[in-house]
Amino acid sequence: MELGGGNMEAPGRGPRVLVVGGGIAGLGAAQRLCSHPAFRHLRVLEATARAGGRICSERSFGGVVEIGAHWIHGPSQGNPVFQLAAKYGLLGDKELSEENQLIETGGHVGLPSVSYTSSGGTVSLELVVEMGKLFYSIIDQTREFLRGTEAPVPSVGEYLKKEISRHMASWTEGEEAKKLKLAILNNFFNVECCVSGTHSMDLVALAPFGEYTVLPGLDCTFPGGYQGLTNHILASLPQDVMIFNKPVKMIHWNGSFQEAGSPGETFPVLVECEDGGCFLAHHVVLTVPLGFLKEHLDTFFEPPLPTEKAEAIRKIGFGTNNKVFLEFEEPFWEPGCQHIQVVWEDTSPLETVTSALQDAWVKKLIGFIVLPSFESAHVLCGFIAGLESEFMETLSDEEVLLSLTRVLRQVTGNPQLPAPKRVLRSCWHSAPYTRGSYSYVAVGSTGDDVDLLAQPLPADKEKAQLQLLFAGEATHRTFYSTTHGALLSGWREADRLIALQDPQAQRPGPKL
């Protein structure tokens, strides 16, 4: 066994720390630790050839597109991602404006500029607004179950359907108009699936749903790409800290490992890599996505994780939300159009989809946002969640382009609509070190499971402390699924290690 730990300077000068995963949680933890004199023996092991994880910006169409994280959710003073982005000069004046920071969105997606139907017509925006208000008022009601009101049903989806059925009783329109209202609501369900990173809102637990905390500020993007943020953090680390293309195979913990270069010194953790290399450490900060942990739970830890920790990993939800970018020679949408909604008139949230995925996957697509114009390209970005999104990953670019061309011709009522020039899409479910997009609190789990996932190991105070620490978006009880949740979790675990070395060093970090 090659022991890669030997290059981490001579022993006896502070603990050896390994961070597994170079996304924003891992980078945030590493940056925080590197700023403390006790942590001179630090390595970040990243499975892929790049840093950033689910923050992934790509140069394409003559500009930058976000394959992963898209917005800063709640860009205001309480958001550490916003603060860092401002510090690094990555945002424009509009994003930084006081006015932008004070806007309260309630976490709801903005309404569309135009709403197309599957029969080639458009829906009046008044009707879309009316249905949006109804849908989001019900979503907002879910917060009351945090205040001790017992949840009447297990899932957010069932609650939404129950409330919609109650409202329907007072609808006085004809059958066709009612069906259109339900079809519009079905689109809002699919939008919420994208927001929650789930296949169905029936999988999302109702009682803890309101624990997710929305920060003030109008969601904004990075003019030069989100990855500028992680690149800045990476650039602040000492040169040899990051090791790329180093996937971890197994973490051996609660042990007593030795290496030739450090006689007499023992390490409680040995990290074994896929290429046969091994690293010894006193502490490992694990920041890998929950999707990866779920897939490798039975083989990744030796000894296996305690039952309750393993159960939390199994129970917390983790789903897929993908993007499809389409480039057009000329825009078919009106100037100033920002968001195109697609309403399938034969769908209803009150009915279960029975069609085969290969026929019906496009119906899960919520529509498109119009990307800010590149030099000469006109680009739409579509969003699709769940099993349909995962099915799309199995198709070729040509098949996706063909299907979406068909959809756009159908909904615009223009059979001659020119096909997009090019398609680009994310495939987060297939990504071997990610296996999905982000976490949600699933039926059968609660916020306590998120806190349990975040607890370091071993719990036994007699053993070497803080051998395994857990960070990443899925470990933040109120900001799960976000980049700021991920960053804060990395800082949290770094502070835990700093406090172990230096109990006086209580960081004045954000009170979040």
Side-chain angles (χ1 to χ4, degrees):
M1 251 188 201
E2 173 219 331
L3 284 180
N7 62 357
M8 291 172 80
E9 294 184 37
R13 295 199 222 124
R16 282 196 204 171
V17 179
L18 285 173
V19 176
V20 179
I24 196 168
L27 291 169
Q31 187 182 46
R32 194 93 146 189
L33 290 169
C34 283
S35 69
H36 192 282
F39 297 94
R40 290 286 168 259
H41 313 290
L42 173 76
R43 291 286 179 275
V44 180
L45 305 181
E46 166 53 44
T48 71
R50 51 168 283 276
R54 286 167 275 175
I55 292 176
C56 178
S57 310
E58 205 170 286
R59 293 210 76 78
S60 211
F61 313 117
V64 175
V65 294
E66 303 294 6
I67 302 296
H70 202 102
W71 290 277
I72 301 179
H73 292 295
S76 49
Q77 293 310 312
N79 185 327
V81 165
F82 175 73
Q83 289 176 337
L84 265 189
K87 177 181 139 185
Y88 290 139
L90 300 173
L91 300 175
D93 292 342
K94 184 174 181 293
E95 291 85 6
L96 293 168
S97 70
E98 189 74 23
E99 182 190 356
N100 223 63
Q101 294 180 49
L102 295 172
I103 293 171
E104 293 279 358
T105 64
H108 305 324
V109 176
L111 293 170
S113 316
V114 62
S115 180
Y116 289 119
T117 66
S118 47
S119 59
T122 56
V123 184
S124 84
L125 289 182
E126 288 76 25
L127 187 56
V128 176
V129 168
E130 185 191 330
M131 291 301 98
K133 279 184 176 161
L134 170 60
F135 183 83
Y136 289 121
S137 70
I138 301 171
I139 284 278
D140 289 341
Q141 283 170 32
T142 61
R143 299 194 79 81
E144 73 188 50
F145 303 115
L146 275 183
R147 293 190 271 276
T149 312
E150 195 170 333
V153 287
S155 74
V156 174
E158 289 163 280
Y159 181 71
L160 283 163
K161 288 183 272 194
K162 193 163 162 287
E163 288 297 297
I164 286 165
S165 300
R166 200 168 60 75
H167 279 272
M168 274 178 71
S170 61
W171 291 355
T172 54
E173 306 89 339
E175 280 312 299
E176 285 307 303
K178 284 181 182 173
K179 277 179 74 173
L180 181 60
K181 280 184 164 184
L182 286 170
I184 297 165
L185 286 166
N186 197 69
N187 178 276
F188 284 111
F189 270 73
N190 289 341
V191 168
E192 205 58 33
C193 286
C194 289
V195 171
S196 285
T198 185
H199 172 62
S200 163
M201 295 310 291
D202 291 356
L203 302 173
V204 181
L206 176 59
F209 188 61
E211 278 197 293
Y212 176 85
T213 303
V214 176
L215 296 171
L218 184 63
D219 291 359
C220 70
T221 56
F222 286 77
Y226 222 125
Q227 213 175 297
L229 180 65
T230 45
N231 288 347
H232 268 84
I233 302 175
L234 178 63
S236 76
L237 301 176
Q239 197 128 31
D240 57 349
V241 163
M242 281 296 288
I243 305 176
F244 292 104
N245 300 306
K246 207 74 174 163
V248 169
K249 181 181 180 183
M250 188 182 275
I251 296 176
H252 306 263
W253 61 291
N254 246 354
S256 183
F257 303 102
Q258 293 181 301
E259 67 182 2
S262 310
E265 190 169 10
T266 61
F267 299 86
V269 192
L270 183 151
V271 173
E272 182 186 346
C273 296
E274 291 282 0
D275 64 5
C278 290
F279 293 81
L280 300 184
H282 297 100
H283 311 288
V284 173
V285 183
L286 195 60
T287 74
V288 298
L290 179 63
F292 177 89
L293 275 183
K294 282 176 175 286
E295 186 175 47
H296 298 279
L297 184 56
D298 295 335
T299 58
F300 199 65
F301 299 95
E302 179 53 48
L305 294 180
T307 311
E308 60 277 16
K309 173 83 86 173
E311 273 305 298
I313 290 169
R314 286 193 188 96
K315 286 196 292 193
I316 300 167
F318 194 81
T320 306
N321 177 23
N322 275 316
K323 300 178 189 180
V324 192
F325 300 93
L326 299 174
E327 181 188 7
F328 293 85
E329 195 73 59
E330 294 297 333
F332 63 82
W333 52 94
E334 295 292 319
C337 174
Q338 293 183 324
H339 175 185
I340 298 167
Q341 182 182 53
V342 176
V343 172
W344 294 90
E345 289 154 298
D346 58 347
T347 60
S348 160
L350 307 180
E351 288 165 25
T352 314
V353 178
T354 49
S355 331
L357 274 178
Q358 55 262 42
D359 306 320
W361 72 269
V362 290
K363 293 187 179 182
K364 195 68 167 283
L365 187 85
I366 62 170
F368 301 89
I369 58 169
V370 179
L371 293 190
S373 60
F374 296 121
E375 283 164 32
S376 56
H378 306 284
V379 184
L380 295 181
C381 172
F383 291 82
I384 181 169
L387 296 176
E388 294 83 356
S389 184
E390 292 168 14
F391 175 76
M392 181 190 74
E393 295 186 23
T394 68
L395 302 174
S396 67
D397 280 356
E398 292 70 31
E399 288 170 307
V400 171
L401 194 124
L402 199 65
S403 292
L404 295 184
T405 301
R406 212 177 286 137
V407 166
L408 287 170
R409 287 174 178 168
Q410 182 181 341
V411 303
T412 57
N414 177 5
Q416 264 69 57
L417 188 83
K421 281 165 55 172
R422 189 170 157 227
V423 64
L424 174 72
R425 63 216 161 109
S426 62
C427 291
W428 288 109
H429 181 68
S430 317
Y433 304 112
T434 316
R435 307 300 279 132
S437 299
Y438 36 80
S439 65
Y440 60 93
V441 182
V443 170
S445 67
T446 70
D448 290 345
D449 292 305
V450 178
D451 283 345
L452 192 57
L453 179 55
Q455 285 306 304
L457 291 173
D460 183 350
K461 296 287 179 241
E462 302 302 305
K463 306 273 188 192
Q465 285 304 284
L466 304 186
Q467 295 175 33
L468 300 184
L469 302 97
F470 295 81
E473 53 84 13
T475 69
H476 199 293
R477 185 166 183 153
T478 57
F479 293 146
Y480 55 85
S481 80
T482 66
T483 56
H484 53 277
L487 178 60
L488 285 167
S489 73
W491 286 353
R492 178 191 69 214
E493 298 313 308
D495 289 347
R496 215 189 284 271
L497 284 174
I498 290 166
L500 184 71
Q501 287 301 306
D502 182 1
Q504 303 310 308
Q506 284 308 313
R507 283 238 172 202
K511 303 280 188 287
L512 293 172

